[in-house]
Amino acid sequence: MDNTPLCLSCNRPLVGRIGKKFCDAQCRNSYHNQHKRPDEKYMQEVNSRLRQNRRILRDLCPEGKATVRRDILEALHFDFNQFTSIYPTQKGVYYLCYDYGYMPIVQNSTQTGHPTQKVLIIQKQDFMNQPFDPWKYLK
């Protein structure tokens, strides 16, 4: 009967120090990811989507300000339901993903004359760090 301890993730025999539980960092991470609580998994999924949204906005806005059609964001799997904060202005609301944000706009197409859904993408500015008072908008 062999008393060699086995990796908790992949069940391979462990070699090395006494008390070792995993073969390597990959097995350790895999094991802990599988045993997270459901609310922790949800938070991890939301954070992943937020990072993806920020990456998309950053890539589409290298100069700090850009206008992009909505369908381009959708093709890149941008999730309009996930954002970190909002910044209201006189012209509309910016939905921020960390330090990049977007404002939904409608522009008439120069080719067809039909309205086109777009987003105005901006990089967050220092003046946008004002405290937000949600009760200000109650009617």
Side-chain angles (χ1 to χ4, degrees):
M1 183 174 197
D2 189 13
N3 285 340
T4 305
L6 302 176
C7 174
L8 294 177
S9 180
C10 69
N11 290 321
R12 289 186 299 204
L14 294 173
V15 178
R17 67 175 174 79
I18 296 173
K20 190 173 179 181
K21 296 180 181 182
F22 305 101
C23 306
D24 53 26
Q26 184 177 353
C27 277
R28 183 183 68 240
N29 289 335
S30 175
Y31 176 84
H32 289 300
N33 283 337
Q34 290 173 2
H35 291 86
K36 283 186 178 178
R37 295 190 328 243
D39 59 333
E40 297 249 345
K41 286 183 181 181
Y42 175 73
M43 288 172 26
Q44 187 177 18
E45 290 168 10
V46 169
N47 286 332
S48 176
R49 288 193 299 266
L50 286 169
R51 285 191 304 274
Q52 177 180 345
N53 279 358
R54 183 201 176 270
R55 202 170 25 254
I56 292 168
L57 293 174
R58 182 198 64 211
D59 291 348
L60 293 174
C61 184
E63 302 293 322
K65 188 174 184 180
T67 303
V68 179
R69 289 190 332 263
R70 176 184 179 169
D71 61 331
I72 292 173
L73 288 169
E74 290 172 340
L76 295 169
H77 304 289
F78 188 86
D79 186 348
F80 288 96
N81 293 313
Q82 304 298 330
F83 50 90
T84 56
S85 60
I86 61 173
Y87 181 74
T89 69
Q90 295 286 337
K91 295 183 179 184
V93 175
Y94 283 104
Y95 299 90
L96 299 163
C97 293
Y98 303 108
D99 58 336
Y100 283 86
Y102 68 93
M103 178 190 297
I105 60 174
V106 176
Q107 289 183 338
N108 286 327
S109 171
T110 54
Q111 290 93 11
T112 65
H114 298 345
T116 304
Q117 292 182 338
K118 295 185 176 185
V119 295
L120 174 62
I121 302 172
I122 52 102
Q123 190 169 9
K124 189 175 180 182
Q125 304 295 311
D126 288 339
F127 68 85
M128 298 171 85
N129 289 328
Q130 301 168 9
F132 178 70
D133 179 10
W135 290 271
K136 175 180 174 181
Y137 299 95
L138 291 177
K139 293 182 182 184

